[in-house]
């Protein structure tokens, strides 16, 4: 897999010569998702998913060094960037809104999986307000497990 992971600066050597782990997540220092941004994201998401499927690309939440993060390739980043999105921001929005959707679907009582980012109240409100559009843009959504 062409796995140039985003938001992963090279490790820096410390005074002892060992590499320091200064791993950043796509969620670090990112502002809350806005409604305008969400609508732009939802407009592009079906095309991204179709491209990813036809290109055998993967983009999904992961747990990296104990922190929620998002895995995507350099090819996925380039695809997003040619559509006027900063890749880190695009995958931040994807991860946060997927987490918000899960929380809304589970009635807010679910335990957050470790690979899920924290979601702001404003992002939960957006997920509730745009639930139908999010489900439609997400494509094949499996039924809610009971």
């Amino acid at each position: 897999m062409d796995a140039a992971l985003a938001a992963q600066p090279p490790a820096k050597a410390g005074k002892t010569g060992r590499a320091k782990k200064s791993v950043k997540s796509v969620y670090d220092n990112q502002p809350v998702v806005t409604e305008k941004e969400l609508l732009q994201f939802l407009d592009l998401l079906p095309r991204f998913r179709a491209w990813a499927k036809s290109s055998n690309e993967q983009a999904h939440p992961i747990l990296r060094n104990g922190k929620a993060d998002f895995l995507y390739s350099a090819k996925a980043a380039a695809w997003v960037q040619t559509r006027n999105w900063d890749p880190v921001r695009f995958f931040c929005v994807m991860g946060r809104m997927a987490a918000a959707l899960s929380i809304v679907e589970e009635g807010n009582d679910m335990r957050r999986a470790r690979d899920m980012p924290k979601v702001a109240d404003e992002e939960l409100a957006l997920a509730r307000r745009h639930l139908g559009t999010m489900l439609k843009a997400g494509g094949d959504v499996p039924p809610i497990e009971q």
Side-chain angles (χ1 to χ4, degrees):
M1 178 158 132
D2 182 15
L5 302 178
Q8 294 298 313
K12 297 177 183 173
K15 291 180 182 177
T16 63
R18 288 193 214 159
K20 282 186 190 176
K21 291 184 181 179
S22 61
V23 177
K24 283 189 163 188
S25 159
V26 296
Y27 308 113
D28 289 348
N29 303 316
Q30 291 289 324
V32 172
V33 176
T34 66
E35 186 164 31
K36 178 181 178 184
E37 189 175 36
L38 175 61
L39 294 175
Q40 291 171 339
F41 170 80
L42 293 175
D43 184 52
L44 184 58
L45 182 59
R47 289 183 280 156
F48 175 78
R49 288 175 51 98
W51 171 82
K53 185 175 182 178
S54 70
S55 302
N56 288 326
E57 287 289 324
Q58 294 185 17
H60 56 81
I62 62 167
L63 190 63
R64 188 184 329 269
N65 293 331
K67 289 176 65 175
D69 203 351
F70 211 94
L71 175 76
Y72 58 93
S73 70
K75 285 172 66 175
W79 190 94
V80 166
Q81 203 161 21
T82 62
R83 280 135 186 103
N84 300 317
W85 271 88
D86 171 66
V88 172
R89 186 62 182 166
F90 182 85
F91 293 107
C92 171
V93 171
M94 185 181 282
R96 283 190 185 162
M97 296 316 295
L101 184 60
S102 293
I103 292 167
V104 168
E105 286 179 335
E106 297 295 326
N108 298 338
D109 291 332
M110 69 172 287
R111 291 185 188 168
R112 191 168 55 94
R114 293 181 64 211
D115 66 353
M116 286 176 62
K118 292 181 180 176
V119 178
D121 290 341
E122 300 94 329
E123 292 166 330
L124 284 173
L126 283 175
R128 287 184 187 100
R129 189 166 40 251
H130 296 285
L131 182 61
T133 307
M134 289 177 68
L135 292 173
K136 184 177 177 186
D140 301 323
V141 179
I144 297 173
E145 295 180 20
Q146 303 219 357

